Each structure stands twice: as C-alpha cells, then as structure tokens.
Amino acid sequence: MGSPQPVREDHARVSRKVYCLFDASAIAAYYLPQSHKNRKVHEHATMIIESVRSGATDHFLYIPNFCIAEVFGVFAKYAFCRWSMKGTIDGRVYESLRSQFQKDIHNAALLYHYELARYHVLAIGMVAPIDYYFQVTRRRKTKSKPKPAGAFDQLIVAMGIHLTKIHGPGNVVIITADHRLSKVVERCRKLVSASAWKKLHLDEVERFVGIPFTPESFPLVLHLPTATRTTYTEVFGTWPLPQNKKYKKPYHLRNQNRRT
C-alpha cells in the first residue's frame, strides 16, 4: 500500500464518487487495528475514510445500524474481556474510541447511520438462496464443511442492493474484512444457470422484490485483506486515494503508538 497522497488535479479527473457500505469488521479495525490480524484491513480502511474526513474526496460512507452495535461491542470486548483474550486496551483508550466513533456517526458527521428497513428484509430473498445453495467458501486446511454467511451478512448485501438501485450500478461497494461476506457478494454478481434459477425460484423473487436478478443489481465488494491495487483503482478510479495534508486527525490515528 502506498502512503496517502496530497490532492492533485489529476485525481479530480480520474476519481469518481463511490458510495461505500462498511460492515463492522472493517470499521472496528479502522478504529482498533488489533481487532483484525491483517494489518492491511486497518491501513486500507484508513485510506478510504481519511480521504473523506480530510475533504480530499467526496465518497459517501454508510454503516448499517446493527453494525454500529457490533463496533461498540468490539471496543467493549477489548476493554473488559481480559479473561479470554490478549491485547486488551485500557479504560482511557476505550473511552477515547467510543467518543470518536460517537462523533463520527452523530448526525452523519462522517459515517451515515443506515437504518434497516422492510425493503432490505424483503431483498434478502435475492441473497439467502445464493448463500445457502452455492458453496461459496471452501476450507482447505480442515475437513469441516464451510458455513454460509448468515442473516446479518445477507442483510448487508440486501442493503447494498437497494443502495445500488438508488445510486446506480457500479457506484456502490461493500467494504469488509469478512471473507464469507465478500464471497457471497461475488457469487451473487455471477450469472446463475437455468437449472439453479428454476430451483431457487428466482423469477418469483424478482417479482416479489421488484428488482431484476442480474449482476448489475448487486453492489461491488472490496475484501480489505486481499484486494489488490488494481481492484481498488477499478472501484475508486485511483489508488492510493488522496488526503489533504492539513486537517484534524482523529485520536486513534494520532495516538496509535501510545496504546496499551
């Protein structure tokens, strides 16, 4: 990953506005790097979010409301669950992270609190059949069967479907550190065979949801641990993303080296 770049005129020509839907795994690692073992998750999430915070880009950042609860839960786990894990944080860091996150979501100062709605619940019918029918993840190191993503991840994809309907195909991307979630989105964006289409009753799903079951109806996805520079460039139009030199950085980025 390259370092954040100062704003230049050529960035304005090649970049475009992207509507980003973050899940809890990506947001938690942005504030608390040790919450994910892959350092790229924090680095890449930080580049995207700080490009917006600094005013260098106008990408729009969404977070589902139930993911907000998950992020607060991650902070609490690292602060208080000392009996079952290593790498905990002290009370001062915990309060600082909570305070910064609250500021960032309050009145959509940085992250837009995206409410779960009935339309998202209905649109899960476009995701759940794919998640459960296809073996979208494979475990190579063990003989255990792969697990499907599950309801909450399916709801995130459903939210992405409706945001794609609002903002247009190719303009919405789910940003996650969750392998299964990313694989479900990738599979949804592939064509389905005629036999699977019939078995999964996707024609009925289309009529019920009111959205065509096509690859273009689904959001893009960025899996932060594995996405390449080429993939980021395809999504955002440029990579690394620009960042203004002079702006007030949040506490967790100013004081990372002081953490305990």
Side-chain angles (χ1 to χ4, degrees):
M1 183 188 115
S3 301
Q5 300 296 310
V7 181
R8 302 195 309 267
E9 292 183 1
D10 59 340
H11 277 112
R13 291 197 297 269
V14 299
S15 63
R16 61 192 184 88
K17 187 168 186 175
V18 179
Y19 298 85
C20 305
L21 180 62
F22 282 86
D23 78 341
S25 66
I27 290 294
Y30 161 69
Y31 290 95
L32 189 61
Q34 64 253 51
S35 66
H36 199 283
K37 61 183 180 181
N38 192 319
R39 184 71 184 180
K40 289 182 180 180
V41 177
H42 170 74
E43 292 175 351
H44 293 175
T46 296
M47 178 166 288
I48 297 166
I49 294 172
E50 292 306 296
S51 77
V52 177
R53 188 193 297 274
S54 72
T57 69
D58 62 351
H59 302 310
F60 198 88
L61 312 179
Y62 289 100
I63 180 172
N65 58 345
F66 52 86
C67 289
I68 291 175
E70 288 185 85
V71 172
F72 278 123
V74 171
F75 295 162
K77 180 177 74 172
Y78 276 84
F80 305 119
C81 197
R82 299 176 185 272
W83 49 268
S84 69
M85 60 181 298
K86 298 179 180 180
T88 54
I89 57 178
D90 66 26
R92 293 169 299 176
V93 174
Y94 172 67
E95 290 300 329
S96 296
L97 292 176
R98 280 178 52 86
S99 176
Q100 184 64 60
F101 186 44
Q102 288 170 344
K103 290 177 182 177
D104 289 343
I105 62 176
H106 185 63
N107 290 331
L110 179 68
L111 301 166
Y112 184 90
H113 180 155
Y114 193 35
E115 293 281 354
L116 180 65
R118 64 182 297 270
Y119 302 105
H120 307 136
V121 176
L122 296 179
I124 205 172
M126 297 179 67
V127 185
I130 303 299
D131 186 14
Y132 293 122
Y133 180 75
F134 294 99
Q135 187 174 313
V136 296
T137 60
R138 292 176 172 80
R139 299 195 177 196
R140 299 178 180 178
K141 295 183 179 180
T142 67
K143 296 182 179 180
S144 60
K145 294 182 179 179
K147 296 180 180 180
F152 281 104
D153 286 344
Q154 293 165 5
L155 283 170
I156 292 173
V157 183
M159 288 176 149
I161 291 171
H162 271 276
L163 288 175
T164 299
K165 183 178 181 180
I166 294 169
H167 299 301
N171 294 324
V172 177
V173 59
I174 291 176
I175 299 178
T176 180
D178 188 298
H179 178 73
R180 287 182 297 179
L181 172 56
S182 67
K183 288 299 181 183
V184 169
V185 179
E186 289 174 1
R187 188 61 189 83
C188 287
R189 288 183 55 83
K190 294 180 180 178
L191 296 175
V192 177
S193 67
S195 59
W197 183 279
K198 184 177 181 180
K199 184 175 292 187
L200 299 178
H201 304 283
L202 294 181
D203 54 341
E204 297 176 15
V205 170
E206 281 188 327
R207 290 194 296 269
F208 182 66
V209 178
I211 297 175
F213 194 96
T214 63
E216 293 75 20
S217 294
F218 290 88
L220 306 173
V221 65
L222 281 172
H223 183 235
L224 295 176
T226 60
T228 64
R229 178 169 182 155
T230 299
T231 305
Y232 284 109
T233 302
E234 290 173 350
V235 171
F236 292 106
T238 185
W239 191 265
L241 290 179
Q243 186 179 114
N244 282 323
K245 291 182 177 180
K246 295 183 179 180
Y247 78 102
K248 185 177 181 180
K249 290 187 177 182
Y251 167 87
H252 65 284
L253 297 182
R254 299 195 308 266
N255 300 279
Q256 281 179 5
N257 293 332
R258 303 178 188 176
R259 293 216 179 147
T260 60

